[in-house]
Amino acid sequence: MIALVDVNCFYVSCERVFCPALRGLPVVVLSNNDGCVVARSDEAKALQIGMGQPLFEIRGMVKKHGLKVFSSNYPLYGDMSARAMNILRRFAPSVEVYSVDEAFLDLEDLAFADLTPHALNIRQTVLRWVGLPVCVGVAPTKVLAKIANRIAKKDKLGNGVCVLADNWDAVLQDVEVGDVWCIGRQYANLLRGYGIKTAYDLAHADDTWVRKHLTITGLRIKKELEGEPCIRLETETPDKKSVGTTRSFRDPLRTKDALGKALADFAARCGEKLRRQQSSAALLTAFIHTNRFAKGVPQYGASFTVSFSTPTNSTLQLVKAAQYVLNKIYREGYDYKNAGVLLSGLTPQSNVQISLFDPVSYEKHQRLMVAMDGVNARYGRNTVQVAAQTIGTGAQLTRQTQLSPCYTTKWDDMLVAHVGFARDLYSPYSSVRAELYSKRP
């Protein structure tokens, strides 16, 4: 049996943990630069606020319906996700972190005749220890676990848990084929054209026909709907084939100096990602673009790729290469709205073969990067950085007018509880008034 644990309205729930007054109110979280809605509470969904809807279209709801709007606080969300995933590892020997708010748990080795109490314990523990509400779907396969989790979320009168142990045909008849995990819009339209409208219809379709029209991936989904496990849990995250950092700026950048600092920040961030997975990159691509949605404004965009004689993950070399590319592609007289750095040709750091005539001392670079990452991990990102980067975190490049505090990742934003002790806990005439009382040992 496999359990899918999914946090309800994850971004919104993270905001509500530290501001309980938001419970019961319509809340939305915006994308980078406060552009579009990327997360909605159930109350916001009831107001017909759509996913991806631009902020300017819902400004009137702030006063009319008491809508609460927040900028994306990714440091907070990432830390809350890590805390929740660490808790889930207590309940199963193998856990696949599928996304920032979802995880699959392998319950095969657990000796429980009824997994419902175990699923309820998972839900209650995450809520009690982290404050995040989750729903748990349990089934023999990952696809069925997805459907079980969906049922648990939609059942407002239930306990947030759904276990599909057997006889799930009746459940599949109520699931649209387009709602089946890994069935995209085009495949859903194709299946409807052949009369396959529900998950039940897909589960009882001919294997040969499914493989012909949906390839081997579609056949695996069909088998999973039948209860035959075909998609295994990935307990170890595979290394990425490429890494990148791109941003749309709050205000357009015009000067080469401003763009250079932005690209230096992006290159440094890519270097951190590379070193985290112990990889090195052979190619670096940087690009700059104007705002293609702005009317009556001159448009320009360009990119350029450079190769390293020896694959590297050194921030010094990556920043230097990004500055070289900028000199190649920059043109004066344009307002640049977005830029980015992409690294490809990745290879494991242990397999890098140094060029015979390369003048760079990679051993020194590696020791420097280890020291830099250690300082930044202890005292905060960009405590030590390259001089070409922006001073501080570079957050001034993005618009975050409704940003909440980083309660768990910044010392200055941590909540402080002031506790006073009364001399006589039971005396109404105590000389010390306290918000919280505690008996002294």
Side-chain angles (χ1 to χ4, degrees):
M1 300 292 283
I2 295 175
L4 173 62
V5 182
D6 186 9
V7 182
N8 303 335
C9 308
F10 177 62
Y11 290 174
V12 172
S13 296
C14 289
E15 299 290 351
R16 284 174 167 173
V17 168
F18 300 95
C19 187
L22 296 174
R23 296 172 185 171
L25 299 179
V27 181
V28 297
V29 177
L30 304 176
S31 61
N32 288 330
N33 289 307
D34 294 349
C36 304
V37 175
V38 295
R40 308 160 295 165
S41 67
D42 291 336
E43 296 79 8
K45 295 176 184 178
L47 296 176
Q48 304 302 314
I49 297 177
M51 182 66 76
Q53 189 169 358
L55 174 62
F56 68 87
E57 294 183 359
I58 61 175
R59 288 191 184 276
M61 297 184 180
V62 174
K63 290 185 177 180
K64 184 177 180 181
H65 299 287
L67 178 66
K68 304 298 180 183
V69 180
F70 290 90
S71 302
S72 295
N73 191 341
Y74 294 120
L76 174 64
Y77 306 152
D79 184 71
M80 294 295 288
S81 173
R83 293 167 185 251
M85 298 306 165
N86 286 335
I87 294 173
L88 295 181
R89 291 185 176 94
R90 295 170 173 261
F91 293 93
S94 300
V95 175
E96 175 190 342
V97 179
Y98 181 68
S99 66
V100 71
D101 62 341
E102 289 180 282
F104 287 101
L105 280 64
D106 184 3
L107 307 181
E108 180 180 0
D109 297 332
L110 301 184
F112 293 113
D114 183 7
L115 288 172
T116 300
H118 187 65
L120 284 172
N121 190 21
I122 293 174
R123 187 171 188 269
Q124 294 166 0
T125 302
V126 175
L127 180 62
R128 183 168 61 250
W129 289 10
V130 189
L132 296 175
V134 302
C135 285
V136 184
V138 182
T141 67
K142 294 176 76 172
V143 174
L144 287 174
K146 272 277 190 178
I147 293 176
N149 186 276
R150 182 184 181 90
I151 295 172
K153 279 192 172 184
K154 286 192 171 185
D155 186 8
K156 301 301 181 182
L157 300 179
N159 53 18
V161 169
C162 177
V163 178
L164 298 179
D166 51 19
N167 298 326
W168 50 78
D169 280 352
V171 172
L172 297 183
Q173 292 177 1
D174 296 330
V175 178
E176 294 287 337
V177 70
D179 293 332
V180 176
W181 188 43
C182 297
I183 297 294
R185 182 180 303 174
Q186 292 184 350
Y187 275 149
N189 292 334
L190 172 67
L191 290 170
R192 293 189 189 101
Y194 284 96
I196 300 176
K197 300 180 180 180
T198 66
Y200 176 85
D201 297 333
L202 178 59
H204 289 79
D206 180 70
D207 288 359
T208 304
W209 185 92
V210 171
R211 178 161 186 170
K212 177 181 177 180
H213 292 83
L214 303 184
T215 71
I216 187 65
T217 301
L219 181 59
R220 290 195 183 103
I221 296 171
K222 175 190 180 302
K223 292 295 184 180
E224 290 252 329
L225 289 173
E226 294 175 348
E228 180 181 340
C230 296
I231 305 176
R232 64 182 181 85
L233 262 68
E234 297 181 359
T235 56
E236 295 184 3
T237 304
D239 290 340
K240 296 180 179 179
K241 303 293 184 180
S242 63
V243 299
T245 301
T246 64
R247 293 287 186 276
S248 293
F249 306 127
R250 177 186 61 187
D251 302 311
L253 304 182
R254 177 175 286 264
T255 66
K256 183 192 289 188
D257 181 65
L259 279 172
K261 291 181 180 297
L263 288 180
D265 284 341
F266 301 160
R269 182 74 181 109
C270 288
E272 294 175 1
K273 296 177 182 179
L274 277 183
R275 295 191 292 274
R276 188 177 299 122
Q277 72 173 32
Q278 298 182 353
S279 297
S280 295
L283 301 172
L284 179 145
T285 302
F287 68 86
I288 53 176
H289 287 290
T290 55
N291 186 1
R292 60 189 179 92
F293 298 104
K295 297 180 179 180
V297 177
Q299 300 292 323
Y300 172 75
S303 64
F304 191 79
T305 301
V306 296
S307 61
F308 301 102
S309 58
T310 300
T312 182
N313 58 21
S314 169
T315 295
L316 302 182
Q317 291 183 283
L318 297 176
V319 169
K320 184 178 180 180
Q323 301 299 311
Y324 173 81
V325 172
L326 180 61
N327 291 330
K328 286 277 189 181
I329 62 178
Y330 175 76
R331 298 290 184 272
E332 294 184 356
Y334 294 96
D335 294 329
Y336 296 97
K337 184 63 175 176
N338 54 67
V341 172
L342 305 174
L343 302 180
S344 56
L346 304 191
T347 183
Q349 184 176 332
S350 58
N351 295 344
V352 171
Q353 184 173 357
I354 300 176
S355 174
L356 179 61
F357 302 104
D358 198 330
V360 178
S361 176
Y362 288 93
E363 184 179 351
K364 290 183 179 179
H365 277 257
Q366 290 298 326
R367 292 202 303 266
L368 178 59
M369 292 302 104
V370 170
M372 178 184 289
D373 291 341
V375 172
N376 290 335
R378 181 171 182 177
Y379 297 104
R381 181 179 295 170
N382 290 331
T383 300
V384 178
Q385 60 184 27
V386 178
Q389 294 180 242
T390 53
I391 299 176
T393 63
Q396 67 272 17
L397 296 176
T398 58
R399 180 183 292 110
Q400 294 178 307
T401 58
Q402 307 294 330
L403 184 65
S404 59
C406 296
Y407 298 102
T408 63
T409 58
K410 287 186 179 180
W411 286 106
D412 294 339
D413 291 346
M414 289 184 65
L415 295 176
V416 178
H418 298 278
V419 182
F421 295 94
R423 293 181 179 177
D424 186 353
L425 184 63
Y426 303 101
S427 172
Y429 307 105
S430 174
S431 60
V432 178
R433 299 185 61 87
E435 297 177 6
L436 301 176
Y437 291 92
S438 176
K439 290 184 179 180
R440 295 188 178 183

